[in-house]
């Protein structure tokens, strides 16, 4: 669980999530929140693992590009988080109009990444936070996604090709890992009727978005290269928690 002596900025982010259904956490604050729960000692190797993601074959069928890896974890009543067997990612078409109602198999998160110090810290932090928000829940299904969205001069990258959406879970963390030579990529938060509630840009490693998925919808604007002659990408870790699983 989270430590009781949270700093004012972190308390503010938690209160915003409770009050508004979403919150933006600056990198410095997020680092402190994470370090309450463990170490980031292997961060460089963790971030470097985005260079070894596999293609998203389902998105490629629509002429779009995205690289990713995926993993599933479970957290029980005692708060012990364990990685589950490799399995598909599934969303109904109610939540994903582009790729819903199919089992999607992606390359698994590498063992050294999925079992590493940083991943463990992130998952414990999320568990402490989301259990604090939903104390009656004693078990969670956790899905973890590594995403790289590439952008080219003639082909902007689409972080959320399904558009403004819900993920069909309870809570979501989006953690910035790296932005390389890109513009835009602004996160937008909407009410169920489409009204814009807020927007912000994850610009620095460890900037984070927290989302109460049952209450609000979210999306991210396309990214374009600042210098069209150089590689451009947006790397994020997305962690979702669903009660019971």
């Amino acid at each position: 669980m989270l430590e009781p002596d949270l700093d004012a900025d972190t308390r503010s982010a938690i209160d915003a999530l409770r009050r508004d259904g979403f919150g933006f956490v600056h990198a410095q604050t997020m680092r402190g929140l994470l370090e309450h729960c463990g170490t980031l000692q292997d961060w460089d190797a963790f971030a470097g693992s985005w260079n070894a993601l596999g293609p998203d074959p389902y998105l490629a069928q629509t002429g779009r590009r995205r690289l990713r890896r995926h993993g599933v974890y479970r957290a029980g009543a005692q708060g012990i988080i364990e990685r589950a067997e490799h399995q598909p990612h599934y969303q109904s078409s109610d939540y994903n109009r582009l790729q819903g109602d199919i089992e999607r198999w992606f390359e698994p998160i590498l063992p050294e990444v999925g079992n590493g110090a940083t991943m463990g810290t992130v998952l414990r932090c999320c568990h402490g936070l989301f259990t604090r928000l939903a104390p009656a829940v004693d078990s969670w299904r956790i899905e973890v996604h590594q995403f790289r969205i590439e952008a080219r001069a003639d082909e902007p990258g689409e972080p959320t090709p399904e558009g403004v959406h819900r993920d069909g879970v309870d809570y979501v963390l989006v953690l910035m890992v790296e932005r390389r030579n890109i513009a835009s990529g602004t996160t937008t938060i909407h009410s169920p009727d489409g009204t814009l509630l807020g927007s912000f840009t994850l610009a620095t490693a460890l900037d984070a978005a927290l989302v109460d998925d049952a209450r609000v919808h979210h999306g991210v604007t396309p990214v374009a290269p600042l210098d069209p002659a150089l590689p451009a990408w947006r790397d994020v870790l997305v962690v979702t928690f669903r009660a019971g699983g």
Side-chain angles (χ1 to χ4, degrees), residues 24-28 30 174-176 201-209:
F24 170 60
V25 185
H26 288 282
Q28 182 176 359
M30 192 65 199
V174 183
L175 185 71
M176 174 55 63
T201 300
L202 305 182
T204 302
L206 294 181
D207 277 354

Side-chain angles (χ1 to χ4, degrees), residues 30 112 123 135 161 167 175 177 207-208 238:
M30 192 65 199
E112 60 269 28
L123 296 182
D167 289 334
L175 185 71
V177 175
D207 277 354
V238 175

Side-chain angles (χ1 to χ4, degrees), residues 18 25-26 47 56 59 68 72 93 95 109 111 125 138 189 221 229 234:
R18 285 180 171 144
V25 185
H26 288 282
D56 181 337
L59 195 62
R68 67 189 297 173
V72 178
S93 57
Y95 301 110
I109 293 174
C125 179
D138 61 8
I189 307 293
T221 61
R234 180 182 188 265

Side-chain angles (χ1 to χ4, degrees), residues 8-237:
D9 286 341
T10 302
R11 287 189 181 279
S12 177
I14 294 171
D15 289 344
L17 184 56
R18 285 180 171 144
R19 181 184 65 246
D20 303 324
F22 68 97
F24 170 60
V25 185
H26 288 282
Q28 182 176 359
T29 300
M30 192 65 199
R31 177 179 290 276
L33 183 57
L34 289 167
E35 289 178 344
H36 275 299
C37 302
T39 178
L40 301 175
Q41 63 185 14
D42 66 344
W43 174 264
D44 289 344
F46 176 78
S49 71
W50 266 254
N51 293 320
L53 302 189
D56 181 337
Y58 305 93
L59 195 62
Q61 294 170 10
T62 68
R64 298 171 168 92
R65 291 178 55 85
R66 177 166 62 188
L67 303 176
R68 67 189 297 173
R69 285 184 183 268
H70 172 247
V72 178
Y73 296 76
R74 296 190 181 96
Q78 303 304 314
I80 297 173
I81 300 172
E82 298 179 319
R83 189 164 182 178
E85 69 281 2
H86 189 51
Q87 54 195 272
H89 176 53
Y90 178 85
Q91 292 174 295
S92 78
S93 57
D94 293 335
Y95 301 110
N96 189 330
R97 290 170 293 178
L98 182 64
Q99 298 174 307
D101 295 336
I102 58 173
E103 292 187 344
R104 289 181 287 161
W105 288 90
F106 301 108
E107 292 293 325
I109 293 174
L110 296 172
E112 60 269 28
V113 178
N115 301 325
T118 293
M119 185 70 80
T121 293
V122 171
L123 296 182
R124 286 191 297 273
C125 179
C126 288
H127 183 267
L129 173 60
F130 299 147
T131 300
R132 188 186 187 110
L133 293 162
V137 175
D138 61 8
S139 64
W140 298 94
R141 174 186 171 87
I142 306 167
E143 293 197 49
V144 180
H145 308 261
Q146 293 178 286
F147 286 112
R148 170 169 287 181
I149 306 301
E150 297 179 323
R152 293 172 171 77
D154 61 345
E155 185 182 4
E158 296 179 280
T160 52
E162 62 271 63
V164 174
H165 66 285
R166 289 176 53 212
D167 289 334
V169 296
D170 291 289
Y171 297 104
V172 182
L173 166 77
V174 183
L175 185 71
M176 174 55 63
V177 175
E178 184 184 29
R179 285 173 62 101
R180 174 71 62 90
N181 184 39
I182 62 166
S184 193
T186 298
T187 298
T188 60
I189 307 293
H190 304 257
S191 65
D193 67 5
T195 301
L196 180 65
L197 301 176
S199 64
F200 45 84
T201 300
L202 305 182
T204 302
L206 294 181
D207 277 354
L210 300 171
V211 178
D212 182 336
D213 192 62
R215 292 172 57 193
V216 299
H217 296 223
H218 63 280
V220 183
T221 61
V223 296
L226 291 168
D227 184 340
L230 297 175
W233 61 72
R234 180 182 188 265
D235 292 349
V236 298
L237 181 76

